[in-house]
Amino acid sequence: PFGFWDDKPSVSLAFAGAMMATEGARSVEGDVVRLGAAAQRLDEAGGFFVNFRAEPRKSDREVSPADLVQWGVWVEEERPIASWPPEAQRKAAALQGAIVVYGAHLAGAKDVVTTPLSGEMLGPEYQATIMDNLLHGDGRVRVPRGADAAVLLGLGALAGVLGTLLRGRWWPQLPTFVLLGALTWLAYALFERGIVIDVVTPALALLLVWGGAGMLRLV
């Protein structure tokens, strides 16, 4: 949401837009950004993961710049909205009380952002999504590194102990894959609640411990 420009604190475009759209109190208190009734938590790096709403170009209303120019001409001519074409009236009504993010997407000046949901997302829609996160306080936040380390060490140690103490052909294999399933379930459950944990490193550690425990039993 904010950073530094030549050693001077500066807010991002999305944060500035969200502040302007907020009528209530606006503040940054430690690791929490408060905009009215919304409180967006920040991670150790002072940011958060974007909580995408839907497929790109489907979650927000779009109006072309040409329409805006035409509407401006009609407004200058003092032409009442009731006399506009029905389609223009419908589009104009969609902007009532909305935050408008203006951007250009032309040949040679494309504004495209890569997202997890698809190959590309228009820059203005990306900025609008971040604003929406800030105004609702539901951006996803990564846990501190210490929490990731605790999960990594705990799962690795548990898998190692059980994998070497259990006897038989199949029982020693079970703890690793049970813990791997539990890790995946936990990651998804936390992600739905706006919390992000590291999955790849603990999963890799479980596989390495599984192989190491198997070699130790063979020796």
Side-chain angles (χ1 to χ4, degrees), residues 174-197:
L174 191 60
T176 294
F177 295 101
V178 170
L179 291 175
L180 190 59
L183 170 66
T184 305
W185 175 84
L186 176 64
Y188 273 96
L190 292 176
F191 191 75
E192 288 183 347
R193 291 164 174 78
I195 302 173
V196 180
I197 65 171

Side-chain angles (χ1 to χ4, degrees), residues 55-119:
E55 287 293 331
R57 311 197 71 176
K58 292 183 180 178
S59 59
D60 296 303
R61 295 159 284 183
E62 290 187 7
V63 175
S64 70
D67 288 333
L68 296 177
V69 172
Q70 181 60 68
W71 298 349
V73 172
W74 289 340
V75 170
E76 288 182 352
E77 295 175 351
E78 298 182 355
R79 189 172 167 181
I81 296 180
S83 66
W84 293 8
E87 182 65 14
Q89 293 186 42
R90 183 188 65 79
K91 290 183 178 180
L95 297 183
Q96 294 294 326
I99 302 172
V100 179
V101 181
Y102 185 90
H105 183 66
L106 307 170
K110 293 186 176 182
D111 186 3
V112 177
V113 178
T114 302
T115 71
L117 295 181
S118 70

Side-chain angles (χ1 to χ4, degrees), residues 133-211:
N133 288 178
L134 287 166
L135 293 172
H136 290 87
D138 58 359
R140 294 189 166 100
V141 181
R142 184 159 189 163
V143 298
R145 294 182 179 180
D148 277 336
V151 172
L152 172 64
L153 295 175
L155 290 179
L158 185 58
V161 171
L162 295 178
T164 52
L165 292 180
L166 293 176
R167 293 290 180 255
R169 183 175 183 181
W170 299 110
W171 285 111
Q173 323 296 333
L174 191 60
T176 294
F177 295 101
V178 170
L179 291 175
L180 190 59
L183 170 66
T184 305
W185 175 84
L186 176 64
Y188 273 96
L190 292 176
F191 191 75
E192 288 183 347
R193 291 164 174 78
I195 302 173
V196 180
I197 65 171
D198 181 17
V199 180
V200 176
T201 309
L204 180 60
L206 286 173
L207 294 177
L208 292 174
V209 168
W210 172 66

